[in-house]
Amino acid sequence: DGGITQSPKYLFRKEGQNVTLSCEQNLNHDAMYWYRQDPGQGLRLIYYSQIVNDFQKGDIAEGYSVSREKKESFPLTVTSAQKNPTAFYLCASGFRSLNIQYFGAGTRLSVL
Amino acid sequence: GESVGLHLPTLSVQEGDNSIINCAYSNSASDYFIWYKQESGKGPQFIIDIRSNMDKRQGQRVTVLLNKTVKHLSLQIAATQPGDSAVYFCAETSNSGNTPLVFGKGTRLSVIA
């Protein structure tokens, strides 16, 4: 079953805790992206990676960290420095030579 | 259309009518545009794209129009169905492949049966 898999679907974070959101793709895409979506809002870019072992900050990278050790995987860590983490997080991937991005089903993060 | 703030602009249409969703893009250097559909609680789905060397592109029941002079993009949905109810986003970028997409704030389409 091909596609982009995000897990978990729902995640709860305690005060001061770091949490990691998983994103895996088996589409052989070079590039992967993380977006944050707040209620009634558009998508804001957190981080993106166009090749393995390289990534760039997006518009709202503060309080987040990523790694890209494998082509298939681009996990996002929401650190305790992110004071307002409650949001819907979307992972996307695509071929670097093209601009179309394909999205996972999202992870909804809430603070306990 | 686009707006700033917490509330998405909403378009309500009768089932069977045509829908037109508008988007004003910001960067005159953008030369590639995509429309996405996002249903509640799901990730956005690709609908249709258009490059700046075109002013119209048609898909199945959808048409995208591009007016570069006024930096305006529209998505037309023919014979709107209840399954078309969703939030629609336009996204822009340059065609280099190395520039991330920039998304608009979205328009909610509600189809009245």
Side-chain angles (χ1 to χ4, degrees):
Chain A
D1 190 19
I4 303 163
T5 303
Q6 289 188 243
S7 62
K9 191 171 174 64
Y10 300 96
L11 186 58
F12 296 91
R13 193 190 90 165
K14 294 179 183 177
E15 203 71 43
Q17 186 182 40
N18 293 353
V19 292
T20 298
L21 285 60
S22 170
C23 180
E24 304 274 332
Q25 54 95 3
N26 60 5
L27 301 167
N28 200 32
H29 286 161
D30 316 288
M32 297 186 73
Y33 308 82
W34 275 106
Y35 293 89
R36 171 180 171 139
Q37 187 175 33
D38 292 283
Q41 299 285 303
L43 281 68
R44 293 186 290 167
L45 183 65
I46 305 173
Y47 269 99
Y48 66 103
S49 167
Q50 304 215 332
I51 54 173
V52 174
N53 292 322
D54 189 41
F55 47 83
Q56 284 77 41
K57 292 182 180 180
D59 301 317
I60 55 165
E62 187 172 345
Y64 300 97
S65 66
V66 293
S67 63
R68 186 89 187 275
E69 296 176 3
K70 298 187 300 180
K71 189 175 186 179
E72 303 79 22
S73 178
F74 191 40
L76 174 74
T77 296
V78 184
T79 75
S80 57
Q82 174 48 249
K83 297 306 179 190
N84 183 22
T86 298
F88 190 46
Y89 290 86
L90 287 159
C91 177
S93 69
F95 291 111
R96 195 175 48 187
S97 57
L98 302 173
N99 292 103
I100 299 174
Q101 293 176 23
Y102 299 93
F103 285 83
T107 292
R108 191 166 298 280
L109 176 62
S110 302
V111 176
L112 288 176
Chain B
E2 300 286 334
S3 74
V4 175
L6 293 177
H7 301 289
L8 288 172
T10 298
L11 175 68
S12 296
V13 299
Q14 207 72 35
E15 182 179 358
D17 286 353
N18 296 335
S19 304
I20 300 176
I21 300 170
N22 296 305
C23 177
Y25 64 93
S26 55
N27 188 349
S28 56
S30 293
D31 55 11
Y32 180 68
F33 306 88
I34 302 177
W35 279 101
Y36 284 91
K37 171 186 179 183
Q38 186 179 26
E39 295 175 89
S40 183
K42 297 183 179 179
Q45 294 173 272
F46 171 88
I47 303 174
I48 191 167
D49 60 354
I50 188 167
R51 302 191 187 283
S52 59
N53 61 352
M54 304 171 70
D55 51 23
K56 179 179 180 179
R57 189 164 190 221
Q58 287 185 288
Q60 188 176 12
R61 274 201 314 120
V62 294
T63 301
V64 55
L65 299 177
L66 175 62
N67 185 330
K68 295 181 287 294
T69 304
V70 295
K71 293 191 290 185
H72 184 268
L73 198 64
S74 69
L75 177 71
Q76 300 179 2
I77 304 174
T80 312
Q81 302 167 1
D84 295 326
S85 293
V87 176
Y88 290 81
F89 293 97
C90 64
E92 61 182 289
T93 190
S94 67
N95 202 26
S96 68
N98 290 317
T99 308
L101 292 169
V102 175
F103 285 80
K105 296 198 187 307
T107 296
R108 185 180 305 281
L109 175 65
S110 292
V111 180
I112 305 162

